[in-house]
């Protein structure tokens, strides 16, 4: 079977923060992708604002470098797919793996294989892709290279890898310095026998198979991702499996429902470094982008009009977490949230999207490029159930929408259950925790409350302990904040979907109730001074509140309705500035993720471009009281 030796397609997969994007940066720089005078940023592949803020990769992106072999041979194009390391974005990983012929598994020289390492490696082994192991960050003072290699071999055996897959080459690297070697360095040192990534490039050329194709086969190209351009409209990213794709060519578009229609390729683009450049033809194994098909979707096929043969659709894992997302129904809808009583003038500066039609259109647009998301109708016409892989993936969607000007009401995260043999099963996760030895008891107690069972515990002798738990996904909602508090910010926790098990029963994950505003108004320092002994407050003085809005966390288990707008009454014996020196404890500011963790079943979150507020689903104090009394009688 003919092969294309001038091209290699490889994906870089790893756990969060093990150095994927930094390694791609170094590959781009050393392959001469940029001019010497160009000003380059760190983590060039993280083009999304949220990716840069959170320091994680959210979207799978591709780049290409021209590698010139040292023996003077013809240059070889290496297409690189930078995939997310977080299992919540697993749909991006699966799409990325469908475009490549091998993977580079990046593992931290100190942390070793972690849950997301297992997740991405399992996907690669299932797809029968060859693996190159890269031990990164060898210069870490706590690196333990030999142990990490052994743990990686154990992981391959645990995932039932066959003999061919387990005979993988090993490269040692310090991606930050752009250095790689095939010789194992001492722990805590940068590889000394090399000063560049040449050994890494040569390993890719030797062990990544060149794309194969059938001579004179009809066109087959698989759509793996979507993008948009202000001038070209929707752009489909695809890999050509067989045949050739040309600019101006008429092709058969095989849709997800099996229907076929003929379309014309108005523009053909190929990636060079971080930009797409016009091209005339793309052959087997090429990763390219086409424009001219306005409604094309991920997983569909472009084929020969005279002999259309569809490629298999891309399948992803089932969603595990759901949230209800709807229009903003609070009394402050459309008024902004400056915190000082926003007026119509300031509210008009933002293009606010507050109608059900706008929210539904935005969710439908998200479905086009996000194959792991589902949107279901609810009983209400202005709210929808959105299902995804995990809490982080849905929080990223909400954060993106609020930055686009949407005002939303978001319900508490719930798990997606399923029936197995007539019994309700819920998703469970494998949680890996790294903590100092003195915090072992606190973590074990936290897991006991959440009905987690310990599967494994290992002590590396460095004062740190690694524990593995199997815990229901419900128990991890609201876990991270409490975990970081109990471990004094030193603990590291990562989890991954492990399957479904029978319903675990009731879980109590939040012991404290809420402080709820009993009337509308503006928060006063006088009221805050009297209330701060009742619990932790969330609002600054001058913040506008409404009845049913949660203004703090109660120190007791039940909710308490409070008047946080109470003003000091002045008499002829007291001047207005007599007691201005009252001390106020700084309020706790909750981010969107922390608000989602804090939420209870009868609470929801109001999300606007300026602020995030937690509120009761039923705002009226009397209505909530009647509902609670009826629940007690039942």
């Amino acid at each position: 079977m003919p092969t294309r030796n001038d091209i290699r397609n490889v994906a870089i997969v790893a756990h969060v923060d093990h150095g994927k994007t930094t390694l791609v940066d170094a590959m781009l720089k050393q392959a001469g992708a940029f001019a010497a005078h160009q000003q380059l940023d760190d983590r060039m592949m993280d083009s999304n604002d949220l990716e840069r803020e959170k320091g994680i990769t959210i979207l799978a992106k591709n780049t290409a470098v021209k590698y010139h072999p040292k023996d003077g041979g013809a240059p070889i194009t290496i297409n690189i797919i930078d995939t997310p390391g977080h299992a919540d974005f697993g749909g991006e990983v699966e799409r990325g793996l469908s475009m490549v012929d091998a993977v580079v598994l990046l593992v931290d020289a100190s942390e070793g294989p972690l849950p997301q390492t297992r997740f991405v490696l399992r996907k690669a082994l299932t797809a029968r892709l060859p693996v190159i192991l890269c031990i990164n960050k060898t210069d870490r003072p706590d690196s333990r290279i030999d142990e990490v290699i052994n743990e990686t071999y154990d992981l391959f055996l645990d995932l039932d890898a066959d003999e061919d897959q387990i005979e993988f080459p090993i490269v040692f690297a310090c991606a930050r310095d752009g250095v790689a070697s095939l010789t194992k360095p001492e722990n805590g040192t940068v590889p000394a026998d090399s000063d560049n990534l040449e050994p890494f490039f040569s390993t890719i050329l030797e062990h990544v198979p060149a794309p194969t194709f059938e001579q004179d086969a009809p066109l087959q190209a698989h759509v793996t991702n979507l993008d948009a351009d202000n001038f070209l409209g929707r752009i489909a990213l695809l890999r050509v499996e067989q045949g050739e794709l040309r600019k101006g060519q008429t092709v058969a578009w095989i849709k997800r429902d099996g229907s076929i229609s003929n379309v014309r390729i108005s523009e053909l683009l190929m990636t060079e470094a971080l930009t797409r450049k016009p091209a005339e033809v793309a052959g087997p194994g090429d990763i390219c982008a086409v424009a001219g098909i306005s409604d094309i979707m991920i997983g569909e096929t472009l084929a020969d009009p005279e002999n259309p043969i569809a490629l298999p659709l891309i399948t992803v894992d089932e969603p595990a977490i759901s949230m209800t997302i709807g229009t903003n129904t609070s009394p402050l809808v459309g008024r902004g949230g400056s915190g000082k009583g926003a007026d119509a003038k300031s509210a008009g500066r933002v293009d606010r999207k507050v109608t059900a039609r706008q929210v539904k259109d935005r969710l439908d647009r998200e479905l086009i490029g996000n194959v792991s998301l589902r949107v279901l109708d609810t009983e209400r016409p202005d709210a929808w159930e959105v299902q995804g892989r995990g809490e982080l993936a849905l929080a990223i969607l909400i954060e993106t929408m609020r930055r686009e000007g949407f005002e939303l009401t978001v319900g508490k995260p719930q798990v997606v259950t399923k029936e197995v043999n007539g019994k309700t099963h819920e998703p469970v996760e494998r949680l890996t925790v790294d903590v100092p030895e003195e915090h072992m008891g606190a973590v074990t107690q936290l897991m006991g409350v959440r009905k987690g069972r310990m599967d494994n515990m290992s002590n590396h002798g460095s004062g740190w302990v690694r524990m593995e738990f199997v815990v229901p996904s419900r128990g991890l909602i609201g876990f991270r904040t409490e975990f970081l508090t109990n471990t004094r910010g030193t603990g590291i926790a990562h989890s991954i979907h492990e399957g479904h098990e029978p319903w675990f029963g009731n879980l109590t994950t939040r012991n404290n109730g809420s402080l709820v505003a009993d009337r509308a108004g503006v928060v006063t320092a006088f009221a805050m001074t009297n209330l701060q002994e009742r619990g932790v407050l969330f609002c600054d003085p001058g913040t506008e509140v409404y009845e049913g809005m949660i203004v703090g966390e109660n120190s007791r288990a039940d909710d308490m309705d409070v008047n946080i707008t109470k003003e000091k009454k002045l008499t002829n014996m007291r001047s207005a500035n007599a007691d201005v020196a009252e001390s106020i404890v700084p309020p706790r500011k909750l981010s969107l993720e922390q608000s989602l963790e804090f939420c209870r079943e009868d609470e929801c979150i109001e999300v606007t471009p300026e602020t995030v507020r937690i509120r009761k689903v039923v705002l009226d104090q009397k209505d909530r009281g009647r509902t609670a009394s009826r629940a007690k009688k039942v």
Side-chain angles (χ1 to χ4, degrees), residues 583-610:
S583 60
I584 299 175
V585 177
R588 190 205 304 173
K589 298 291 185 178
L590 296 183
S591 65
L592 176 60
E593 287 89 346
Q594 290 171 328
S595 300
L596 290 170
E597 291 180 356
F598 182 84
C599 226
R600 274 183 171 171
E601 281 74 10
D602 63 337
E603 297 167 356
C604 59
I605 302 164
E606 177 193 354
V607 180
T608 72
E610 299 88 356

mmCIF file of all heavy atoms in Angstrom, residues 583-610:
data_model
loop_
_atom_site.group_PDB
_atom_site.id
_atom_site.type_symbol
_atom_site.label_atom_id
_atom_site.label_comp_id
_atom_site.label_asym_id
_atom_site.label_seq_id
_atom_site.Cartn_x
_atom_site.Cartn_y
_atom_site.Cartn_z
ATOM 1 N N SER A 583 -15.854 48.033 62.545
ATOM 2 C CA SER A 583 -15.002 47.140 61.733
ATOM 3 C C SER A 583 -15.867 46.098 61.027
ATOM 4 O O SER A 583 -16.732 45.471 61.639
ATOM 5 C CB SER A 583 -13.973 46.437 62.619
ATOM 6 O OG SER A 583 -14.616 45.670 63.608
ATOM 7 N N ILE A 584 -15.638 45.940 59.728
ATOM 8 C CA ILE A 584 -16.370 44.965 58.923
ATOM 9 C C ILE A 584 -15.382 43.929 58.414
ATOM 10 O O ILE A 584 -14.347 44.283 57.838
ATOM 11 C CB ILE A 584 -17.081 45.644 57.729
ATOM 12 C CG1 ILE A 584 -18.091 46.678 58.243
ATOM 13 C CG2 ILE A 584 -17.768 44.610 56.845
ATOM 14 C CD1 ILE A 584 -18.741 47.462 57.135
ATOM 15 N N VAL A 585 -15.692 42.666 58.630
ATOM 16 C CA VAL A 585 -14.862 41.590 58.100
ATOM 17 C C VAL A 585 -15.012 41.571 56.578
ATOM 18 O O VAL A 585 -16.135 41.614 56.071
ATOM 19 C CB VAL A 585 -15.278 40.228 58.687
ATOM 20 C CG1 VAL A 585 -14.452 39.098 58.078
ATOM 21 C CG2 VAL A 585 -15.149 40.248 60.201
ATOM 22 N N PRO A 586 -13.911 41.562 55.824
ATOM 23 C CA PRO A 586 -14.041 41.545 54.356
ATOM 24 C C PRO A 586 -14.900 40.373 53.894
ATOM 25 O O PRO A 586 -14.715 39.240 54.351
ATOM 26 C CB PRO A 586 -12.595 41.387 53.872
ATOM 27 C CG PRO A 586 -11.762 41.921 54.990
ATOM 28 C CD PRO A 586 -12.510 41.586 56.247
ATOM 29 N N PRO A 587 -15.879 40.618 53.011
ATOM 30 C CA PRO A 587 -16.762 39.531 52.564
ATOM 31 C C PRO A 587 -16.021 38.529 51.686
ATOM 32 O O PRO A 587 -14.993 38.847 51.077
ATOM 33 C CB PRO A 587 -17.848 40.262 51.768
ATOM 34 C CG PRO A 587 -17.193 41.533 51.317
ATOM 35 C CD PRO A 587 -16.224 41.908 52.388
ATOM 36 N N ARG A 588 -16.542 37.318 51.631
ATOM 37 C CA ARG A 588 -15.976 36.283 50.766
ATOM 38 C C ARG A 588 -16.585 36.420 49.371
ATOM 39 O O ARG A 588 -17.802 36.384 49.202
ATOM 40 C CB ARG A 588 -16.289 34.891 51.312
ATOM 41 C CG ARG A 588 -15.506 33.785 50.565
ATOM 42 C CD ARG A 588 -16.202 32.439 50.628
ATOM 43 N NE ARG A 588 -16.469 32.013 51.979
ATOM 44 C CZ ARG A 588 -17.199 30.915 52.266
ATOM 45 N NH1 ARG A 588 -17.721 30.197 51.297
ATOM 46 N NH2 ARG A 588 -17.422 30.574 53.517
ATOM 47 N N LYS A 589 -15.726 36.600 48.364
ATOM 48 C CA LYS A 589 -16.187 36.734 46.989
ATOM 49 C C LYS A 589 -16.157 35.365 46.317
ATOM 50 O O LYS A 589 -15.088 34.736 46.230
ATOM 51 C CB LYS A 589 -15.291 37.711 46.218
ATOM 52 C CG LYS A 589 -15.297 39.122 46.783
ATOM 53 C CD LYS A 589 -16.643 39.802 46.561
ATOM 54 C CE LYS A 589 -16.609 41.247 47.016
ATOM 55 N NZ LYS A 589 -17.882 41.931 46.767
ATOM 56 N N LEU A 590 -17.296 34.895 45.845
ATOM 57 C CA LEU A 590 -17.386 33.575 45.231
ATOM 58 C C LEU A 590 -17.275 33.694 43.713
ATOM 59 O O LEU A 590 -17.954 34.515 43.093
ATOM 60 C CB LEU A 590 -18.712 32.899 45.590
ATOM 61 C CG LEU A 590 -18.952 32.584 47.068
ATOM 62 C CD1 LEU A 590 -20.269 31.843 47.243
ATOM 63 C CD2 LEU A 590 -17.818 31.761 47.658
ATOM 64 N N SER A 591 -16.420 32.872 43.117
ATOM 65 C CA SER A 591 -16.348 32.788 41.662
ATOM 66 C C SER A 591 -17.522 31.957 41.152
ATOM 67 O O SER A 591 -18.300 31.395 41.946
ATOM 68 C CB SER A 591 -15.024 32.150 41.235
ATOM 69 O OG SER A 591 -14.973 30.800 41.677
ATOM 70 N N LEU A 592 -17.646 31.836 39.834
ATOM 71 C CA LEU A 592 -18.726 31.037 39.268
ATOM 72 C C LEU A 592 -18.611 29.585 39.704
ATOM 73 O O LEU A 592 -19.604 28.974 40.112
ATOM 74 C CB LEU A 592 -18.695 31.145 37.732
ATOM 75 C CG LEU A 592 -19.708 30.281 36.988
ATOM 76 C CD1 LEU A 592 -21.129 30.643 37.389
ATOM 77 C CD2 LEU A 592 -19.527 30.424 35.474
ATOM 78 N N GLU A 593 -17.393 29.006 39.642
ATOM 79 C CA GLU A 593 -17.218 27.604 40.045
ATOM 80 C C GLU A 593 -17.540 27.414 41.522
ATOM 81 O O GLU A 593 -18.187 26.436 41.905
ATOM 82 C CB GLU A 593 -15.780 27.131 39.768
ATOM 83 C CG GLU A 593 -15.476 26.904 38.303
ATOM 84 C CD GLU A 593 -14.958 28.177 37.636
ATOM 85 O OE1 GLU A 593 -15.093 29.254 38.239
ATOM 86 O OE2 GLU A 593 -14.433 28.083 36.515
ATOM 87 N N GLN A 594 -17.109 28.366 42.379
ATOM 88 C CA GLN A 594 -17.406 28.247 43.811
ATOM 89 C C GLN A 594 -18.893 28.395 44.080
ATOM 90 O O GLN A 594 -19.433 27.739 44.974
ATOM 91 C CB GLN A 594 -16.610 29.308 44.579
ATOM 92 C CG GLN A 594 -15.116 29.049 44.610
ATOM 93 C CD GLN A 594 -14.336 30.219 45.182
ATOM 94 O OE1 GLN A 594 -14.732 31.384 45.017
ATOM 95 N NE2 GLN A 594 -13.230 29.940 45.846
ATOM 96 N N SER A 595 -19.570 29.245 43.308
ATOM 97 C CA SER A 595 -21.017 29.399 43.475
ATOM 98 C C SER A 595 -21.746 28.113 43.109
ATOM 99 O O SER A 595 -22.710 27.717 43.779
ATOM 100 C CB SER A 595 -21.526 30.561 42.606
ATOM 101 O OG SER A 595 -20.920 31.773 42.969
ATOM 102 N N LEU A 596 -21.296 27.446 42.029
ATOM 103 C CA LEU A 596 -21.906 26.173 41.641
ATOM 104 C C LEU A 596 -21.713 25.128 42.736
ATOM 105 O O LEU A 596 -22.596 24.305 42.995
ATOM 106 C CB LEU A 596 -21.298 25.675 40.325
ATOM 107 C CG LEU A 596 -21.662 26.476 39.072
ATOM 108 C CD1 LEU A 596 -20.818 26.028 37.889
ATOM 109 C CD2 LEU A 596 -23.139 26.331 38.743
ATOM 110 N N GLU A 597 -20.544 25.150 43.388
ATOM 111 C CA GLU A 597 -20.284 24.204 44.479
ATOM 112 C C GLU A 597 -21.149 24.517 45.695
ATOM 113 O O GLU A 597 -21.608 23.604 46.393
ATOM 114 C CB GLU A 597 -18.805 24.248 44.866
ATOM 115 C CG GLU A 597 -17.861 23.694 43.809
ATOM 116 C CD GLU A 597 -16.412 23.762 44.250
ATOM 117 O OE1 GLU A 597 -16.153 24.306 45.352
ATOM 118 O OE2 GLU A 597 -15.538 23.283 43.519
ATOM 119 N N PHE A 598 -21.366 25.810 45.973
ATOM 120 C CA PHE A 598 -22.092 26.222 47.174
ATOM 121 C C PHE A 598 -23.578 25.914 47.078
ATOM 122 O O PHE A 598 -24.243 25.681 48.078
ATOM 123 C CB PHE A 598 -21.880 27.721 47.381
ATOM 124 C CG PHE A 598 -22.530 28.276 48.619
ATOM 125 C CD1 PHE A 598 -21.887 28.192 49.842
ATOM 126 C CD2 PHE A 598 -23.779 28.880 48.558
ATOM 127 C CE1 PHE A 598 -22.487 28.700 50.990
ATOM 128 C CE2 PHE A 598 -24.376 29.384 49.694
ATOM 129 C CZ PHE A 598 -23.725 29.303 50.917
ATOM 130 N N CYS A 599 -24.113 25.886 45.877
ATOM 131 C CA CYS A 599 -25.555 25.817 45.639
ATOM 132 C C CYS A 599 -26.186 24.565 46.256
ATOM 133 O O CYS A 599 -25.615 23.472 46.213
ATOM 134 C CB CYS A 599 -25.797 25.806 44.129
ATOM 135 S SG CYS A 599 -27.077 26.927 43.631
ATOM 136 N N ARG A 600 -27.392 24.711 46.812
ATOM 137 C CA ARG A 600 -28.206 23.582 47.263
ATOM 138 C C ARG A 600 -29.338 23.334 46.280
ATOM 139 O O ARG A 600 -29.521 24.082 45.332
ATOM 140 C CB ARG A 600 -28.777 23.868 48.661
ATOM 141 C CG ARG A 600 -27.839 23.495 49.797
ATOM 142 C CD ARG A 600 -28.513 23.738 51.126
ATOM 143 N NE ARG A 600 -27.745 23.191 52.237
ATOM 144 C CZ ARG A 600 -28.021 23.404 53.513
ATOM 145 N NH1 ARG A 600 -29.066 24.168 53.846
ATOM 146 N NH2 ARG A 600 -27.293 22.873 54.470
ATOM 147 N N GLU A 601 -30.137 22.286 46.547
ATOM 148 C CA GLU A 601 -31.199 21.904 45.612
ATOM 149 C C GLU A 601 -32.238 23.002 45.426
ATOM 150 O O GLU A 601 -32.798 23.158 44.337
ATOM 151 C CB GLU A 601 -31.899 20.609 46.091
ATOM 152 C CG GLU A 601 -31.144 19.333 45.791
ATOM 153 C CD GLU A 601 -29.936 19.135 46.698
ATOM 154 O OE1 GLU A 601 -29.816 19.906 47.683
ATOM 155 O OE2 GLU A 601 -29.113 18.248 46.422
ATOM 156 N N ASP A 602 -32.527 23.771 46.493
ATOM 157 C CA ASP A 602 -33.559 24.808 46.380
ATOM 158 C C ASP A 602 -32.962 26.163 46.024
ATOM 159 O O ASP A 602 -33.621 27.198 46.182
ATOM 160 C CB ASP A 602 -34.353 24.913 47.688
ATOM 161 C CG ASP A 602 -33.478 25.356 48.858
ATOM 162 O OD1 ASP A 602 -32.247 25.160 48.785
ATOM 163 O OD2 ASP A 602 -34.032 25.893 49.842
ATOM 164 N N GLU A 603 -31.719 26.175 45.535
ATOM 165 C CA GLU A 603 -31.043 27.417 45.193
ATOM 166 C C GLU A 603 -30.578 27.391 43.739
ATOM 167 O O GLU A 603 -30.455 26.321 43.133
ATOM 168 C CB GLU A 603 -29.834 27.643 46.126
ATOM 169 C CG GLU A 603 -30.231 27.803 47.580
ATOM 170 C CD GLU A 603 -29.063 27.701 48.547
ATOM 171 O OE1 GLU A 603 -27.917 27.435 48.096
ATOM 172 O OE2 GLU A 603 -29.296 27.879 49.758
ATOM 173 N N CYS A 604 -30.340 28.551 43.174
ATOM 174 C CA CYS A 604 -29.816 28.651 41.815
ATOM 175 C C CYS A 604 -28.893 29.860 41.734
ATOM 176 O O CYS A 604 -28.725 30.595 42.713
ATOM 177 C CB CYS A 604 -30.948 28.735 40.786
ATOM 178 S SG CYS A 604 -32.066 30.129 41.027
ATOM 179 N N ILE A 605 -28.288 30.065 40.579
ATOM 180 C CA ILE A 605 -27.298 31.123 40.418
ATOM 181 C C ILE A 605 -27.763 32.077 39.327
ATOM 182 O O ILE A 605 -28.143 31.645 38.236
ATOM 183 C CB ILE A 605 -25.923 30.533 40.056
ATOM 184 C CG1 ILE A 605 -25.494 29.551 41.137
ATOM 185 C CG2 ILE A 605 -24.869 31.615 39.905
ATOM 186 C CD1 ILE A 605 -24.390 28.644 40.718
ATOM 187 N N GLU A 606 -27.708 33.361 39.630
ATOM 188 C CA GLU A 606 -27.984 34.397 38.634
ATOM 189 C C GLU A 606 -26.643 34.859 38.072
ATOM 190 O O GLU A 606 -25.776 35.334 38.813
ATOM 191 C CB GLU A 606 -28.732 35.566 39.282
ATOM 192 C CG GLU A 606 -28.999 36.708 38.315
ATOM 193 C CD GLU A 606 -29.449 37.977 39.027
ATOM 194 O OE1 GLU A 606 -29.654 37.943 40.254
ATOM 195 O OE2 GLU A 606 -29.600 38.999 38.330
ATOM 196 N N VAL A 607 -26.465 34.690 36.766
ATOM 197 C CA VAL A 607 -25.204 35.023 36.105
ATOM 198 C C VAL A 607 -25.449 36.180 35.146
ATOM 199 O O VAL A 607 -26.292 36.089 34.250
ATOM 200 C CB VAL A 607 -24.653 33.802 35.329
ATOM 201 C CG1 VAL A 607 -23.337 34.166 34.644
ATOM 202 C CG2 VAL A 607 -24.447 32.616 36.264
ATOM 203 N N THR A 608 -24.724 37.282 35.337
ATOM 204 C CA THR A 608 -24.796 38.424 34.429
ATOM 205 C C THR A 608 -23.366 38.772 34.001
ATOM 206 O O THR A 608 -22.405 38.280 34.602
ATOM 207 C CB THR A 608 -25.445 39.648 35.111
ATOM 208 O OG1 THR A 608 -24.519 40.197 36.067
ATOM 209 C CG2 THR A 608 -26.744 39.270 35.803
ATOM 210 N N PRO A 609 -23.200 39.610 32.969
ATOM 211 C CA PRO A 609 -21.843 39.963 32.549
ATOM 212 C C PRO A 609 -20.992 40.583 33.652
ATOM 213 O O PRO A 609 -19.771 40.486 33.634
ATOM 214 C CB PRO A 609 -22.074 40.962 31.409
ATOM 215 C CG PRO A 609 -23.412 40.608 30.857
ATOM 216 C CD PRO A 609 -24.209 40.142 32.031
ATOM 217 N N GLU A 610 -21.636 41.247 34.631
ATOM 218 C CA GLU A 610 -20.860 41.933 35.676
ATOM 219 C C GLU A 610 -20.716 41.133 36.956
ATOM 220 O O GLU A 610 -19.738 41.316 37.679
ATOM 221 C CB GLU A 610 -21.510 43.282 36.032
ATOM 222 C CG GLU A 610 -21.588 44.275 34.887
ATOM 223 C CD GLU A 610 -22.847 44.114 34.061
ATOM 224 O OE1 GLU A 610 -23.623 43.175 34.332
ATOM 225 O OE2 GLU A 610 -23.051 44.918 33.149
#
